[in-house]
Amino acid sequence: MQTIIEPFRIKSVEPIHFNTPDQRAQILEKANYNPFLIKAKEVIIDLLTDSGTSAMSSNQWAAMMQGDESYAGSDSFFRFESTIQKITGLPIVIPTHQGRAAEKILFSILGGKGKYFISNTLFDTTRANIEFSGAEGIDLICEEGKYPSIPAPFKGNMNLTAMEECILEKGAKHIPLCILTITNNSGGGQPVSMENIRSVHQICRKYGIPLFIDACRFAENAYFIKIREQGYQQRSIPSIVHEMFGYADGCTMSAKKDAFANIGGFLAMHNEALALQCRNLLIMTEGFPTYGGLAGRDLEAIAVGLEEVMEEHYLQYRIRTTEYLTNKLIAAGVPVMQPAGGHAVYLDAKNFLPHIPVNQYPGQALVGALYLTGGIRAVEIGSLMFGKYDEDNTLIPAALELVRLAIPRRVYTQSHIDYVAEVIIEVFQNRDRIQGLEIIEEAPTLRHFTAKLRPVNH
Ligand SMILES: *Cc1c(COP(=O)(O)O)cnc(C)c1O
């Protein structure tokens, strides 16, 4: 088979700044072992997130020049709205400045004490917005999704039995919404099958619970359905996407992911009454409903990006990139989540660093080692991000200790990815030398963004 090439030429470039391991050791110490506190300039390959880090196309830049910056009723809004209506089939479209703004509005209205939101896995900002409202979020990932090293085609699926049991236990009237995260970001960028989306839809219908899709990576999910699910090989990506959204009552979306935009998001839905409440809040926190915290040019970039992201040559290259890196790591014996996720490669830090107990944050320790060795910035998705404390202040660890290497869209080439593999393998060969970490300062919510840490034997 021929090499799957990057399906673009490069017209504009940005220099990478190099530094030495000694300089990086100082930088890491100064940043209190938290990569969020390192300057981007001090990073060689930045895999912190795929959010807002996409390279825009020449067509997106051209569209931005046509941005209509009118306060109300701008042309750009109508292009944005009609694109989303066409792609999703959802009639009401509300722009927001990013995904979490859509979540904040939705959960302020639907949340509150005594309410439960059920999901395959809630993303961290989604969970935070639910909990901030006083409600509780419940993750009901399928069995396969719990074992990082055992491959399965759709590890992002909802556990349907657990879902129905949960509804019966909590009572449907206390569950304002079911949320399917597509692909499942915190669960490893793993896809959800069409069959699972359909079944979740049927269970939701049976109990009168609306279904929303957290649609950040809808195109990647559709591509996985096309290549892995029976009956979809001949279907176009837009038709698969349309079917996916057809089972939903609405969606939240971060345009910083599968819309190739550097900022933006939206809410879309069928329910007029809910939309009215959302727009009222939107005006208070984001802006008038035809711009929702975005410039007209942002709306244009998103509208173009949403179409481009569904191109098959792009999706083939995209999904191949994470698979290529994962395969190199598997060949070297590195414990990595299998199969590769859509937007990221996930290292299994518990098995990578078995000598570091979970209360010394093996994921965060590994993140530090990747930076020291190769200037690579990754993020922990484990007990630093999701850990809680019990009454005795003992850590209740997360189910998995992962390190996510998120691949920005259309930004890095194959040689960058080869370099990343080399660095990870070098760290793996020297893993015995890596030390655990302890927290010295943390915030009450979303602590991983700002927490300060230090090595346990400092
Ligand atoms: C990024 C993301 C969000 C939040 O979107 P922001 O634009 O970062 O606010 C919500 N859900 C998922 C699955 C995400 O990946």
Side-chain angles (χ1 to χ4, degrees):
M1 203 178 88
Q2 287 174 328
T3 301
I4 295 165
I5 60 172
E6 285 87 5
F8 48 78
R9 298 186 297 179
I10 296 166
K11 154 141 51 185
S12 174
V13 298
E14 204 180 347
I16 286 175
H17 302 275
F18 292 89
N19 46 23
T20 65
D22 284 342
Q23 288 170 328
R24 292 196 290 271
Q26 283 180 11
I27 292 165
L28 191 62
E29 197 187 332
K30 219 175 108 218
N32 294 103
Y33 297 84
N34 186 342
F36 284 101
L37 307 177
I38 296 176
K39 289 180 186 152
K41 224 181 198 163
E42 295 164 343
V43 175
I44 295 175
I45 304 278
D46 204 346
L47 307 182
L48 184 70
T49 177
D50 63 322
S51 178
T53 53
S54 297
M56 292 221 298
S57 67
S58 47
N59 279 334
Q60 282 179 293
W61 284 109
M64 285 184 84
M65 294 304 290
Q66 297 185 28
D68 175 356
E69 305 301 343
S70 306
Y71 191 93
S74 89
D75 242 21
S76 300
F77 171 73
F78 294 113
R79 265 195 289 280
F80 172 88
E81 182 188 44
S82 64
T83 304
I84 294 164
Q85 286 169 335
K86 185 182 78 186
I87 291 172
T88 65
L90 295 165
I92 303 171
V93 178
I94 300 172
T96 58
H97 81 275
Q98 56 183 91
R100 71 197 67 186
E103 293 167 352
K104 171 77 180 157
I105 288 170
L106 189 64
F107 298 119
S108 302
I109 294 164
L110 298 178
K113 225 175 154 44
K115 304 270 177 65
Y116 301 90
F117 290 88
I118 55 176
S119 176
N120 51 345
T121 310
L122 296 163
F123 183 63
D124 58 355
T125 59
T126 322
R127 175 171 285 281
N129 274 301
I130 287 170
E131 290 176 357
F132 189 75
S133 82
E136 217 178 287
I138 301 174
D139 292 343
L140 301 164
I141 189 70
C142 65
E143 256 328 279
E144 306 93 279
K146 294 177 184 164
Y147 307 99
S149 58
I150 303 172
F154 291 103
K155 294 172 78 170
N157 282 354
M158 178 88 101
N159 181 335
L160 300 170
T161 318
M163 175 185 173
E164 202 151 2
E165 280 169 11
C166 180
I167 295 170
L168 293 173
E169 188 202 318
K170 304 292 183 196
K173 65 173 189 293
H174 302 297
I175 305 176
L177 206 64
C178 170
I179 301 130
L180 264 182
T181 310
I182 283 175
T183 59
N184 187 11
N185 185 356
S186 313
Q190 298 292 325
V192 181
S193 72
M194 194 70 89
E195 189 188 359
N196 194 254
I197 300 172
R198 198 179 300 124
S199 303
V200 168
H201 160 82
Q202 283 160 356
I203 297 172
C204 283
R205 274 288 165 283
K206 181 171 162 193
Y207 294 99
I209 299 168
L211 171 62
F212 266 53
I213 292 179
D214 179 339
C216 295
R217 297 176 185 82
F218 72 96
E220 290 170 10
N221 200 83
Y223 187 73
F224 280 121
I225 289 175
K226 181 172 171 106
I227 60 174
R228 291 185 187 168
E229 191 163 347
Q230 219 189 340
Y232 289 91
Q233 275 75 30
Q234 305 307 321
R235 291 270 297 273
S236 72
I237 296 295
S239 94
I240 295 173
V241 166
H242 211 265
E243 182 179 346
M244 278 166 36
F245 284 106
Y247 296 119
D249 298 285
C251 75
T252 56
M253 167 87 187
S254 168
K256 301 173 75 173
K257 323 289 170 56
D258 269 0
F260 295 128
N262 302 118
I263 197 72
F266 58 85
L267 267 164
M269 64 191 77
H270 285 285
N271 186 328
E272 284 283 357
L274 178 61
L276 185 69
Q277 284 180 285
C278 290
R279 287 202 183 102
N280 287 342
L281 260 189
L282 184 85
I283 289 176
M284 242 189 321
T285 58
E286 293 285 291
F288 192 72
T290 62
Y291 73 87
L294 293 170
R297 52 182 171 269
D298 298 324
L299 298 169
E300 295 281 354
I302 294 166
V304 175
L306 285 169
E307 301 272 8
E308 285 180 356
V309 79
M310 294 191 292
E311 285 167 13
E312 279 197 52
H313 278 293
Y314 161 72
L315 286 168
Q316 184 190 37
Y317 140 81
R318 173 75 176 157
I319 299 306
R320 176 61 190 150
T321 305
T322 51
E323 182 189 57
Y324 174 81
L325 177 54
T326 298
N327 290 350
K328 283 198 157 203
L329 298 177
I330 292 170
V334 176
V336 59
M337 180 174 273
Q338 295 186 48
H343 66 293
V345 171
Y346 292 74
L347 305 176
D348 177 358
K350 238 186 242 178
N351 286 312
F352 198 115
L353 300 172
H355 61 287
I356 301 181
V358 289
N359 63 1
Q360 292 179 12
Y361 304 101
Q364 192 72 2
L366 180 51
V367 163
L370 294 174
Y371 180 71
L372 279 180
T373 305
I376 296 170
R377 178 153 70 166
V379 68
E380 189 251 24
I381 301 207
S383 293
L384 182 63
M385 188 181 271
F386 290 122
K388 296 256 152 86
Y389 295 108
D390 67 12
E391 308 87 74
D392 307 326
N393 228 19
T394 308
L395 178 77
I396 309 167
L400 300 174
E401 302 294 336
L402 301 176
V403 167
R404 185 184 75 179
L405 303 143
I407 315 293
R409 292 168 183 77
R410 306 192 292 209
V411 170
Y412 292 116
T413 65
Q414 187 171 342
S415 67
H416 291 121
I417 300 298
D418 285 332
Y419 171 83
V420 170
E422 286 164 19
V423 171
I424 296 169
I425 292 165
E426 188 183 331
V427 170
F428 185 62
Q429 284 160 353
N430 299 310
R431 61 192 179 278
D432 297 347
R433 288 189 226 146
I434 301 173
Q435 277 190 54
L437 297 169
E438 62 191 11
I439 295 176
I440 50 178
E441 220 181 284
E442 63 185 297
T445 51
L446 297 176
R447 64 175 179 171
H448 57 286
F449 287 127
T450 53
K452 295 182 177 171
L453 301 100
R454 67 179 172 208
V456 277
N457 302 314
H458 55 279

